[in-house]
């Protein structure tokens, strides 16, 4: 297949998508939310997932489906800029989307969550979709995956004071620069307000990653491996989600941090064993087809179609 004009699904014509599907079947779906996020636009965490999805699509010969963004936000609902969808409706919508993509021919689907409430309903969706279709989808928590394969520093290393750096030796703020770089990849760097462009009210400095209004949350947070809400909560003030709303950088500084962030993301993916990951994903689907799909008729069936997807 000739080099594609773009990997962004919604920028392609139907003809281009159908030509792609003659050669491959990989689609990457970053899933996020719209919520209060200090001095960043409300879709910041979604855009972080989308940034890696854009780069990943080029490396694994896939397409990237954008704009899957309005879902359950968790404790940030107290911000009037936060859009709320229930867990149930978030689950249903993504599941319907997964079925559509499968019927179109995208058998290898990679779902990338943006933050923890997204992970919660996506894991349930991926599991139920598999029960009904016997088609495994890849739930790719990109931050956790890169940590686990040694492509980035762990959260504990960063919290202990270890500094992330790109190959040039320049220091990286992984969360901040990754976010800014993702906006540049999306062609939306101007969406981030620069210093002096928004008259933010004064706010106290943030104290750690947990709500500073509830000091006992540190013990509750030890109830699960992720930074999820083992006991659901709301923040006391919108500014407590990822720090005070202060635009730190000039336009020139935003450009610089974006370039650092993009370099950091690319270098992380260089170390991410993507060929091995995609091979393992393909082998898992082949295993389901050859072993499970043909031998175990008692397993759950799809309520939508009695026909096995392996008969396509």
């Amino acid at each position: 297949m000739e080099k594609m004009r773009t990997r962004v699904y919604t920028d392609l014509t139907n003809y281009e998508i159908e030509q792609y599907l003659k050669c491959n079947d990989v689609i990457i779906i970053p899933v996020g939310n719209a919520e209060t996020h200090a001095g960043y636009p409300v879709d910041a965490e979604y855009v972080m997932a989308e940034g890696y999805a854009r780069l990943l699509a080029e490396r694994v010969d896939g397409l990237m489906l954008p704009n899957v963004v309005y879902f359950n936000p968790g404790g940030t609902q107290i911000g009037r800029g936060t859009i709320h969808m229930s867990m149930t409706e978030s689950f249903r919508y993504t599941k319907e989307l997964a079925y559509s993509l499968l019927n179109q021919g995208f058998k290898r689907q990679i779902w990338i969550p943006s933050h923890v409430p997204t992970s919660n309903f996506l894991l349930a969706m991926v599991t139920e979709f598999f029960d009904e279709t016997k088609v495994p989808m890849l739930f790719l928590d990109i931050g956790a995956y890169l940590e686990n394969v040694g492509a980035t520093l762990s959260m504990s290393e960063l919290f202990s004071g270890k500094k992330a750096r790109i190959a040039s030796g320049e220091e990286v703020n992984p969360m901040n620069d990754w976010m800014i770089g993702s906006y540049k990849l999306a062609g939306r760097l101007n969406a981030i307000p620069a210093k002096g462009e928004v008259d933010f009210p004064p706010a106290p400095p943030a104290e750690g990653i947990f709500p500073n209004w509830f000091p006992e949350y540190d013990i509750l947070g030890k109830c699960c491996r992720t930074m999820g809400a083992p006991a659901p909560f709301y923040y006391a003030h919108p500014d407590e989600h990822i720090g005070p709303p202060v635009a730190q950088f000039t336009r020139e500084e935003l450009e610089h941090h974006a370039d650092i962030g993009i370099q950091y993301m690319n270098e992380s993916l260089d170390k991410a064993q993507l060929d091995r990951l995609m091979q393992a994903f393909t082998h898992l689907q082949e295993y389901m087809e050859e072993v499970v799909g043909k031998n175990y008729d008692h397993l759950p069936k799809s309520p939508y179609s009695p026909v096995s997807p392996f008969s396509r």
Side-chain angles (χ1 to χ4, degrees), residues 184-201:
K184 183 167 183 177
L185 287 172
R188 296 179 52 209
L189 188 56
N190 284 341
I192 300 176
K195 186 182 294 184
E197 292 181 353
V198 176
D199 186 19
F200 287 117

Side-chain angles (χ1 to χ4, degrees), residues 130-191:
F130 170 70
D131 279 341
E132 293 175 355
T133 65
K134 309 302 176 288
V135 177
M137 298 190 296
L138 187 60
F139 174 89
L140 180 60
D141 181 336
I142 190 67
Y145 175 77
L146 292 172
E147 261 188 52
N148 290 338
V149 298
T152 60
L153 295 177
S154 68
M155 294 296 285
S156 61
E157 288 176 310
L158 292 171
F159 289 144
S160 70
K162 195 168 184 178
K163 303 298 184 183
R165 299 183 186 278
I166 55 176
S168 67
E170 191 159 7
E171 187 176 324
V172 181
N173 180 322
M175 183 68 72
N176 196 68
D177 296 342
W178 165 12
M179 189 181 294
I180 297 171
S182 293
Y183 273 98
K184 183 167 183 177
L185 287 172
R188 296 179 52 209
L189 188 56
N190 284 341

Side-chain angles (χ1 to χ4, degrees), residues 27-43:
I27 192 154
I28 303 163
I29 312 101
V31 180
N33 63 342
E35 64 178 353
T36 174
H37 214 289
Y40 287 100
V42 294
D43 68 348

Side-chain angles (χ1 to χ4, degrees), residues 51-104:
Y52 265 115
R54 287 174 178 270
L55 298 176
L56 192 60
E58 290 285 352
R59 290 166 180 259
V60 303
D61 187 22
L63 304 185
M64 189 277 291
L65 186 72
N67 306 323
V68 186
V69 68
Y70 302 110
F71 297 102
N72 187 275
T76 59
Q77 294 176 46
I78 48 92
R80 296 185 69 176
T82 297
I83 292 178
H84 174 260
M85 290 282 285
S86 72
M87 281 290 194
T88 301
E89 292 306 318
S90 300
F91 169 90
R92 288 176 177 169
Y93 180 82
T94 51
K95 185 177 173 186
E96 289 296 322
L97 183 54
Y99 264 102
S100 177
L101 292 170
L102 179 63
N103 290 336
Q104 291 164 242

